[in-house]
Amino acid sequence: MALVPTAELMENTRGGVGAFNVITVEHAEAIVDGAGRAERPVILQISENAIKFHHGQIAPIAAATAAVAETSDVPVALHLDHVTDASLWEVAPQHGFGSVMIDASKLPYAENVDETGRAVEYLNSRGLWVESELGQVGGKDGEAPLSAHAPGARTSPDEAAAYVMDTGVDALAVAVGSSHAMTTRDAVLDHDLIAAIKEAVAIPLVLHGSSGVPDAELAKAVRGGMIKINIGTALNIAYTDAVRGHLAANPDNVDPRKYLAAAREAMAAKVSHFLTVLAG
Ligand code: G3H
Ligand code: ZN
């Protein structure tokens, strides 16, 4: 089973596909463990920001994450997330990634299309699947577009359809009410907009910033056609709460394995829960 190409995993999975952000090896272990418990396929995603945290080095964290994926009993894909730097997506194939999210959303439309189109050509020809997103819809002239996942941003179905045609991407991240890095779970999704975008666009739709979306809303979004559901912050909350709790209860402990084991278990339980919700 183990590591499979993202395109294959997306093709063969019914219901929503959870894509969880990996920062440390414990994240990868927890995500694979949680997916095994839920008996669901899963995507391990490493963001450009996580690579910056690892001293700008892609190889160590990618190799460790891929090796953890190989231990899995359920299918696992490896995705490179929110890439703005072309020199990073160019090396994705050699580091075992099955997909890349090109984040040119802060560029004006024409430049976003050029950069994303170039990445699609290069990565598709090497067997990788490409996700990308449009910038904020309706930005005023002269203003730099915001990320599509800024609070309040929304995707226009017509513009999404044109963008998919212009770029040839395999999946589209859409702005339908979620936003990144929420620590409360009270985002309200626009389900009518999800239906309209699904009608306009034939490729899989991706929800970013899903940590802030309540379970019932996530399940409804999957029923409405959202396929890849990106979750990062919720795992980091579980991780940090577990470390704080462990150290508060054991103030003399100096062995990181003890509090990291607590963090890993808390993340695995979260992953298993989310994947069960997304399965439909
Ligand atoms: O690409 C990753 C995500 O959109 C994660 O967002 O940390 O708000 O769950 P989140
Ligand atoms: Zn995101």
Side-chain angles (χ1 to χ4, degrees), residues 31-189:
I31 296 162
V32 165
D33 187 4
R37 291 181 205 179
E39 298 181 353
R40 293 287 297 168
V42 77
I43 297 176
L44 300 176
Q45 49 189 22
I46 303 173
S47 69
E48 183 176 287
N49 278 336
I51 290 165
K52 282 186 188 148
F53 165 73
H54 289 293
H55 304 303
Q57 298 297 321
I58 186 172
I61 188 66
T65 302
V68 172
E70 292 290 5
T71 68
S72 172
D73 293 332
V74 295
V76 180
L78 195 53
H79 175 83
L80 188 56
D81 200 29
H82 281 289
V83 180
T84 60
D85 181 349
S87 68
L88 191 57
W89 59 251
E90 281 168 6
V91 299
Q94 75 208 51
H95 290 286
F97 289 91
S99 51
V100 179
M101 183 229 182
I102 305 298
D103 188 349
S105 63
K106 294 214 172 70
L107 299 178
Y109 184 86
E111 287 173 46
N112 181 337
V113 166
D114 275 0
E115 173 69 2
T116 305
R118 209 163 64 79
V120 168
E121 203 178 316
Y122 176 91
L123 293 166
N124 276 179
S125 70
R126 289 162 176 79
L128 278 76
W129 186 93
V130 179
E131 169 190 336
S132 71
E133 74 179 33
L134 270 166
Q136 187 194 28
V137 178
K140 294 197 194 80
D141 283 350
E143 270 180 12
L146 289 169
S147 159
H149 305 291
R154 293 290 183 273
T155 298
S156 141
D158 289 346
E159 203 173 359
Y163 179 77
V164 169
M165 287 278 283
D166 290 346
T167 57
V169 284
D170 302 296
L172 184 69
V174 293
V176 292
S178 61
S179 56
H180 279 135
M182 286 180 67
T183 53
T184 55
R185 296 192 68 197
D186 49 10
V188 179
L189 299 182

Side-chain angles (χ1 to χ4, degrees), residues 21 45 81-82 179-182 207-212 230-234:
N21 284 82
Q45 49 189 22
D81 200 29
H82 281 289
S179 56
H180 279 135
M182 286 180 67
L207 187 68
H208 281 244
S210 307
S211 292
N230 285 11
I231 299 167
T233 303

